[in-house]
Amino acid sequence: MKNLKQLLSRIDGKGYKAYKDIRGRYRFERFHLVVDYVQGDPFASPSKIRCLIPEHETIIGRQWLETPERKETLEDHIARMVAKAIDRSGKHAGGTGKSGLIAIDRPGQEVLKRTAVLVENGKVTVCLSVGLPARGRKVLGRQAEKLFFQQIPEILRLSVFSLNRQMIQAAVKLRDQQLAVRRYMKQHDLVAFVGDGAILPRESGISDRPLPNQEAVPFETPESLRVEIPVPHRSAPVSGMAVKRGITLIVGGGYHGKSTLLEAIERGVYDHIEGDGREFVLTDAAACKIRAEDGRKVTQVDISPFIKNLPFGKDTERFTTENASGSTSQAANIVEALEAGASALLIDEDTSATNFMIRDSRMQALVAKDKEPITPFIDKVKQLHEDYEVSTILVMGGSGDYFDVADTVVMMDQYRPFDVTEKARAVAQSRRSERRQEGGERFGRITERIPLPVSLNSKKGKKEKVTARGLKRIQYGTKDIELEQVEQLVDASQTRAIGEILHDLEKRNRLGGKSVKQLLDEIEEQIERHGLASFTPFAEQHPGELARPRIFEIAAALNRMRTLQVKSQGNG
Ligand code: ADP
Ligand code: MG
């Protein structure tokens, strides 16, 4: 501690580069401070420090470390407390560029595995970014002293050193309950569960917080679809709507809450925090949102289950394009999700290509099948379930033809769901659809692809460059990976992690012999065994600001790379 003080007063007023001298480890009264990385100038990305807090300085109980999920919840909670303490500690003193900034990788509405806070054997590591203070390019030693000796200890005092048992207990209990519901779902073949009282709508299109209570209609399960799931830490079971495996249709008038329900289900692959409104909206973690995404790159994807005989004989078994159409992009999105092991598809008519979803009898009569390359999803959705056990939840207000294939039909009416399965069956009986089934009896095979090493090139000039640009873009070498339409990517730190993972695949030369699925399985296993930080070059130091992505979002990034090249079955 004294060393750091002396160092700071010595470099006061010197050029910014003098800060490099403070790298190292220092013993403070209640914690150790490690300066891992010092920024090059006041405008550069901030410096990285860690605070290591010994076990005896915290109140962390063994019971909170009993399961991986509990540990994750505890770490998440501490990160939130540190973020709150940073907010409370007020505005930092002035200076040039990022001078005085203190930040932690801040969790959003989900509880994700992240590297900002790590708890190991009761020992807590908090990773922070700080802007080392300067005026112009001169070190402000006094200011830096204040940052290290007052602000950071104060932030820790308000967070790690004053953890609240009840709050941690509550977070851990909720997580246990969410886990219990997920287990029940597996045992009872549910794809999704929407708890009674859930608040599904969000505050606004740009906010992930719940719509305030007085404006939101809480979810109310129709009697026939209700299940009650016993959970720990409370006597009453959690009740709500069971969405069974198979084909579920969400119908209803415009603006009655169909898309809002599906969006909540999409996000249900993650666990949400207390107060989010979606605590008990839980979805099979391998469920994938599918949408049309025209303009995306597609690389040798076998979309022939859906599309055959394109004009000019274009190959659809190894379909490649720099600029997919609505229907071809949606087909590719489905096949890629299946390749990565999706268990369910989540589809909204709002973001689908109409000609991919339906083709009614009149259109069949006018445009002969041999002139229409597309076999619409309606003819494939059952086969997907029968051949591959992949379920579908589909928002479809526009075509009753789907009544013929649905196992369950839920109608949204003024934000309330009704079970209209029987009614829909009766309608389907009395008004027979004239359309003919297209595209054969089987779904068709899902072809494996093997990404080639040339796909990944992080070189930009002489340096390597892999950077997440916000939530929906990764700069990889000289090219950008565009993730705008990848809707289940929810946290910019997941995006960062995907960048690191791809970069790691490149540097360790892991492409070439393995299929996409094999690569994803390996990545998953590495995360489980060695943690997310194992993908960064500085794992031993500040592990960075990473949150765990699902394998489907990792696959999505790989699949959208303009540089991706693959070898697929049958082309040598
Ligand atoms: P649809 O897909 O049926 O056309 P949306 O799901 O887009 O309808 O919902 C329309 C609007 O209603 C949105 O602004 C949404 O935020 C709001 N909304 C949805 N569900 C609820 C609810 N349970 N309570 C209050 N408002 C809701
Ligand atoms: Mg809608």
Side-chain angles (χ1 to χ4, degrees):
M1 198 170 149
K2 281 197 199 108
N3 285 347
L4 181 59
K5 232 176 215 162
Q6 278 166 6
L7 266 170
L8 289 174
S9 77
R10 203 180 70 215
I11 63 173
D12 184 34
K14 291 205 175 148
Y16 203 82
K17 292 273 181 281
Y19 265 132
K20 297 278 179 206
D21 291 349
I22 71 167
R23 273 179 301 198
R25 184 170 174 139
Y26 307 93
R27 182 144 32 115
F28 278 56
E29 270 164 37
R30 302 182 70 186
F31 63 96
H32 284 228
L33 177 89
V34 185
V35 180
D36 286 312
Y37 167 80
V38 172
Q39 66 206 97
D41 68 72
F43 296 94
S45 60
S47 305
K48 308 282 185 205
I49 66 167
R50 275 175 301 157
C51 303
L52 314 179
I53 297 106
E55 186 176 7
H56 64 87
E57 290 284 2
T58 70
I59 56 154
I60 291 170
R62 293 278 154 204
Q63 72 278 18
W64 299 330
L65 302 169
E66 258 165 25
T67 67
E69 291 80 9
R70 283 187 173 190
K71 179 167 168 294
E72 204 174 285
T73 307
L74 173 67
E75 292 170 340
D76 172 271
H77 176 81
I78 297 174
R80 285 172 203 279
M81 291 301 112
V82 173
K84 226 186 224 167
I86 290 173
D87 291 343
R88 271 204 283 164
S89 74
K91 270 230 282 287
H92 51 78
T96 305
K98 302 200 168 94
S99 288
L101 165 114
I102 303 177
I104 186 164
D105 186 31
R106 213 170 259 266
Q109 294 297 101
E110 305 81 15
V111 178
L112 300 176
K113 174 105 202 121
R114 50 175 81 234
T115 52
V117 171
L118 305 169
V119 178
E120 258 152 2
N121 307 320
K123 205 179 78 191
V124 181
T125 302
V126 178
C127 298
L128 299 173
S129 304
V130 298
L132 296 173
R135 172 130 308 126
R137 305 209 173 261
K138 293 218 155 61
V139 168
L140 282 178
R142 278 272 160 72
Q143 225 94 285
E145 192 184 312
K146 189 170 160 236
L147 187 144
F148 286 118
F149 293 91
Q150 286 175 30
Q151 290 175 290
I152 287 173
E154 174 66 3
I155 286 164
L156 295 180
R157 194 184 65 74
L158 291 171
S159 55
V160 189
F161 295 132
S162 52
L163 290 176
N164 178 309
R165 268 207 183 79
Q166 266 89 44
M167 283 171 77
I168 299 176
Q169 212 88 278
V172 165
K173 281 181 180 173
L174 173 60
R175 199 73 196 282
D176 285 352
Q177 291 168 343
Q178 289 165 330
L179 211 64
V181 174
R182 288 192 188 281
R183 265 194 221 110
Y184 178 98
M185 288 167 60
K186 276 226 163 72
Q187 286 158 3
H188 293 80
D189 283 331
L190 308 190
V191 202
F193 174 79
V194 185
D196 278 314
I199 301 297
L200 309 185
R202 299 294 96 189
E203 191 173 58
S204 74
I206 52 163
S207 163
D208 200 27
R209 289 176 198 275
L211 192 69
N213 259 324
Q214 61 275 19
E215 293 167 49
V217 178
F219 191 83
E220 203 180 312
T221 305
E223 214 43 60
S224 54
L225 300 177
R226 174 171 286 138
V227 289
E228 303 204 321
I229 305 178
V231 294
H233 315 300
R234 64 184 244 187
S235 48
V238 174
S239 77
M241 182 171 87
V243 180
K244 291 224 175 71
R245 300 210 64 87
I247 298 152
T248 302
L249 217 55
I250 301 170
V251 303
Y255 219 71
H256 279 258
K258 303 183 296 297
S259 296
T260 304
L261 173 58
L262 191 78
E263 276 155 25
I265 291 172
E266 279 161 48
R267 296 302 189 91
V269 298
Y270 303 112
D271 290 342
H272 290 90
I273 53 168
E274 183 83 60
D276 174 84
R278 300 170 294 187
E279 293 91 320
F280 289 109
V281 181
L282 298 165
T283 307
D284 188 322
C288 289
K289 176 65 183 289
I290 299 293
R291 58 173 294 160
E293 191 181 344
D294 45 310
R296 65 158 286 195
K297 165 83 192 284
V298 176
T299 307
Q300 294 205 29
V301 177
D302 183 354
I303 57 169
S304 64
F306 295 106
I307 300 174
K308 274 184 182 135
N309 310 321
L310 284 178
F312 307 111
K314 189 162 170 59
D315 185 3
T316 62
E317 286 181 18
R318 290 175 207 109
F319 182 72
T320 300
T321 177
E322 290 294 331
N323 187 4
S325 66
S327 57
T328 52
S329 62
Q330 195 160 0
N333 282 347
I334 291 180
V335 174
E336 287 168 350
L338 298 174
E339 180 185 40
S343 64
L345 307 181
L346 311 174
I347 304 181
D348 192 330
E349 62 183 346
D350 291 354
T351 48
S352 290
T354 308
N355 59 342
F356 180 77
M357 298 306 294
I358 50 176
R359 191 165 127 80
D360 66 13
S361 59
R362 285 184 164 166
M363 200 53 86
Q364 285 181 323
L366 184 68
V367 183
K369 177 64 192 159
D370 59 355
K371 295 245 172 6
E372 173 52 271
I374 304 173
T375 298
F377 188 68
I378 188 168
D379 291 321
K380 288 290 170 187
V381 64
K382 260 198 137 105
Q383 299 169 0
L384 257 181
H385 188 227
E386 283 160 7
D387 298 355
Y388 292 106
E389 290 179 19
V390 172
S391 300
T392 296
I393 304 177
L394 175 63
V395 169
M396 178 52 75
S399 170
D401 283 353
Y402 270 92
F403 296 166
D404 291 328
V405 294
D407 298 308
T408 309
V409 184
V410 174
M411 181 170 79
M412 294 304 288
D413 183 3
Q414 303 191 21
Y415 312 134
R416 279 192 56 193
F418 293 86
D419 180 1
V420 295
T421 310
E422 292 309 319
K423 249 193 200 155
R425 286 225 173 99
V427 171
Q429 287 287 332
S430 65
R431 301 175 194 210
R432 293 216 167 261
S433 162
E434 307 275 291
R435 73 180 304 280
R436 288 180 311 274
Q437 153 91 28
E438 298 176 6
E441 295 300 312
R442 303 247 82 117
F443 179 79
R445 60 175 192 164
I446 298 162
T447 317
E448 285 195 338
R449 294 176 305 155
I450 298 169
L452 300 175
V454 290
S455 307
L456 296 171
N457 182 1
S458 57
K459 279 264 155 44
K460 184 171 184 278
K462 284 196 178 124
K463 288 190 173 158
E464 289 185 356
K465 180 110 191 156
V466 178
T467 318
R469 306 240 173 256
L471 176 61
K472 295 295 178 81
R473 183 175 304 213
I474 298 171
Q475 184 187 344
Y476 202 95
T478 56
K479 296 262 175 21
D480 279 0
I481 311 174
E482 192 58 66
L483 302 167
E484 198 49 56
Q485 322 273 41
V486 180
E487 292 175 285
Q488 287 167 301
L489 183 63
V490 297
D491 191 301
S493 299
Q494 290 180 309
T495 317
R496 239 185 319 265
I498 293 172
E500 296 288 348
I501 290 167
L502 294 177
H503 199 188
D504 188 68
L505 292 180
E506 176 186 345
K507 279 182 309 186
R508 298 200 207 181
N509 223 340
R510 289 163 71 173
L511 296 193
K514 289 170 195 142
S515 69
V516 172
K517 182 68 180 140
Q518 282 169 328
L519 283 170
L520 294 172
D521 287 345
E522 268 186 28
I523 292 167
E524 187 91 327
E525 192 181 315
Q526 185 178 332
I527 297 176
E528 290 291 338
R529 283 218 187 152
H530 306 291
L532 268 178
S534 68
F535 293 93
T536 73
F538 309 111
E540 299 307 313
Q541 305 168 26
H542 195 292
E545 293 131 333
L546 306 177
R548 183 177 187 162
R550 297 192 311 160
I551 56 166
F552 303 102
E553 280 65 57
I554 301 170
L558 188 66
N559 283 320
R560 280 160 186 73
M561 292 188 88
R562 299 258 162 201
T563 49
L564 178 63
Q565 288 188 35
V566 302
K567 191 168 74 172
S568 55
Q569 246 176 33
N571 74 334

